[in-house]
Amino acid sequence: MQTRPRPYHHGDLRAALLARAEDTLREKGPAALSLRELARDLGVSHAAPSRHFKDKQALLDALALTGFERLSTTLAASQETAGDSFADRLGALARSYVGFATANAELLDLMFSIKHDPAASEALVQASQGMSVLATDLIAEGRRTGEVRDAPLDAIAIPMFSTLHGFASLAVSSTLPPGALDANLDDVIAHTLRGCAPDHPTPH
Amino acid sequence: MQTRPRPYHHGDLRAALLARAEDTLREKGPAALSLRELARDLGVSHAAPSRHFKDKQALLDALALTGFERLSTTLAASQETAGDSFADRLGALARSYVGFATANAELLDLMFSIKHDPAASEALVQASQGMSVLATDLIAEGRRTGEVRDAPLDAIAIPMFSTLHGFASLAVSSTLPPGALDANLDDVIAHTLRGCAPDHPTPH
DNA sequence: ACCTGAACACCGTTCAAGT
DNA sequence: ACCTGAACACCGTTCAAGT
């Protein structure tokens, strides 16, 4: 029925485990993720994963890390194609973040349900902080052009990132009124722009 | 060593299971939560919990529900003791929300990692929406007094709740710069007030 | 280096049976 | 009504052994 079973997994078992884990996460949720089933799906013994991940949590951490890396790439790409104004760039960032969140709901949940303690892997901590770097750059530039009020970077970056992340997180958990996600996102962007605006906006 | 074992659990096993589950969640995290261990801790057989929760997910849902109920109560209480101005009431709401989040980090994670689909228990959906009712009331009053700009309620309520929830969620996952949580929260409140403010603020 | 197979101590869930 | 005890099909983790 089957070609003679190969004794060993052919290629990169580590990468195969991560890819398969993400599929399972997406399709059946985090509770259904089992190392033994992953191994079965890939045709290796149930003990094989331990060569690449010391335990289940290590696999989950690695999965979250790939999530942060892809999110960072996605957000950075949104800035390449965005216009020059602060409003355009913020809108692109927000839509990009929410797009990733809705397309990878379970993964986003996993990414932020992991404690980002100093105890966590350094790579993970760094990856999750790397995201806010983008927001900070955006704000710094907006301040130079006078589109953003003069205040310490964190005093704007943290509220802004909180809003973005909060909206994405509520959307993912279906806690928002259904159906009007795009309109709600427009409101969120407009509200954030108001929060960032200088006291006496330059008359055009 | 022990008093003669009672054949049945004395009181309300359902409530005892929920209370013990919350303790375990807080002390050892969600991965360590097992029905069998709960049952052992309470001195009943491992099959006893199934009389009260049809499966593990049902217990988690019920736990999330108690979380939403307590959060709602906490938020409502914050409004009782707050001042009359919109700024005061918003500040009280925000501090109350973040206080609950940091004091119940794992529970908050659980509350929002449950899909609030129409498929979810009606009580759960209702409880999670009941929260935003408070925010909506706050905004409606702020608009009457001229402290909040004239816009559809949702156009302010959703961004505001996103910000609050996002900040709480980032704080819980240790994704914020450590140590300055109170100062960061002040920034978040100030930023939100700016987002809510009318275009031409009334001169005092 | 990478994987297997057996072993161990756990799970969640179900169900006949007890009180 | 509420709980027990046994049974079943799963887990994660470890470790000697194979190639």
Side-chain angles (χ1 to χ4, degrees), chain A residues 18 21-22 25-26 29-31 33 56-68 100 104-116 124 165 172, chain B residues 109 112-113 115 173:
Chain A
L18 285 174
E22 188 179 343
L25 184 64
R26 191 187 307 280
L33 234 176
K56 190 179 183 181
Q57 189 57 51
L59 183 143
L60 294 178
D61 287 355
L63 195 54
L65 183 58
T66 69
F68 278 115
F100 181 90
N104 304 273
E106 302 81 4
L107 182 58
L108 195 83
D109 244 33
L110 175 67
M111 285 158 61
F112 284 97
S113 65
I114 288 175
K115 286 273 165 301
H116 300 170
L124 194 61
H165 177 66
V172 156
Chain B
D109 245 31
F112 284 97
S113 64
K115 287 273 163 299
S173 67

Side-chain angles (χ1 to χ4, degrees), chain A residues 8-9 44-48 51-52:
Chain A
Y8 291 158
H9 187 263
V44 296
S45 83
H46 64 260
R51 284 287 133 188
H52 302 277

Side-chain angles (χ1 to χ4, degrees), chain A residues 15-122:
Chain A
L17 283 165
L18 285 174
R20 183 71 196 162
E22 188 179 343
D23 289 345
T24 305
L25 184 64
R26 191 187 307 280
E27 286 157 21
K28 304 201 259 172
L33 234 176
S34 108
L35 288 178
R36 287 179 100 111
E37 186 173 16
L38 251 35
R40 275 196 302 271
D41 290 346
L42 297 175
V44 296
S45 83
H46 64 260
S50 74
R51 284 287 133 188
H52 302 277
F53 302 102
K54 83 175 224 292
D55 56 21
K56 190 179 183 181
Q57 189 57 51
L59 183 143
L60 294 178
D61 287 355
L63 195 54
L65 183 58
T66 69
F68 278 115
E69 283 164 353
R70 272 162 43 206
L71 177 54
S72 282
T73 305
T74 304
L75 295 183
S78 81
Q79 296 302 289
E80 304 297 325
T81 61
D84 282 337
S85 76
F86 177 71
D88 277 357
R89 299 179 84 83
L90 175 64
L93 189 74
R95 283 176 225 287
S96 181
Y97 196 100
V98 173
F100 181 90
T102 53
N104 304 273
E106 302 81 4
L107 182 58
L108 195 83
D109 244 33
L110 175 67
M111 285 158 61
F112 284 97
S113 65
I114 288 175
K115 286 273 165 301
H116 300 170
D117 289 341
S121 98
E122 188 154 346

Side-chain angles (χ1 to χ4, degrees), chain A residues 167 170-171 174-184, chain B residues 129 132 154-155 157-158 161-162:
Chain A
F167 182 77
L170 292 176
S174 314
T175 312
L176 294 174
L181 208 83
D182 285 347
N184 291 334
Chain B
Q129 287 173 350
S132 62
D154 270 2
I158 288 177
F161 190 62
S162 294

Side-chain angles (χ1 to χ4, degrees), chain B residues 30-188:
Chain B
L33 233 175
S34 110
L35 289 179
R36 287 179 99 112
E37 186 173 14
L38 252 35
R40 275 196 302 272
D41 290 348
L42 297 176
V44 295
S45 84
H46 64 260
S50 74
R51 287 286 131 189
H52 303 277
F53 303 103
K54 83 174 223 295
D55 56 19
K56 190 179 181 179
Q57 190 57 52
L59 183 141
L60 295 178
D61 287 355
L63 195 54
L65 183 57
T66 69
F68 278 115
E69 284 164 351
R70 270 163 41 205
L71 176 55
S72 283
T73 305
T74 303
L75 295 183
S78 81
Q79 296 301 289
E80 303 298 325
T81 59
D84 282 337
S85 76
F86 177 70
D88 276 356
R89 299 178 85 83
L90 175 62
L93 189 73
R95 284 176 224 287
S96 181
Y97 196 99
V98 173
F100 182 90
T102 52
N104 303 275
E106 301 82 4
L107 182 59
L108 194 84
D109 245 31
L110 175 68
M111 286 158 60
F112 284 97
S113 64
I114 288 174
K115 287 273 163 299
H116 300 170
D117 289 341
S121 98
E122 187 153 348
L124 194 60
V125 174
Q126 203 170 336
S128 67
Q129 287 173 350
M131 263 187 331
S132 62
V133 170
L134 255 165
T136 306
D137 286 353
L138 184 62
I139 292 164
E141 196 187 312
R143 232 167 40 168
R144 270 196 302 277
T145 62
E147 291 165 291
V148 172
R149 67 192 163 96
D150 195 31
L153 278 181
D154 270 2
I156 303 179
I158 288 177
M160 182 173 125
F161 190 62
S162 294
T163 308
L164 236 62
H165 178 66
F167 183 77
S169 165
L170 292 176
V172 155
S173 67
S174 314
T175 311
L176 293 175
L181 209 84
D182 285 347
N184 292 333
L185 180 51
D186 287 341
D187 291 338
V188 166

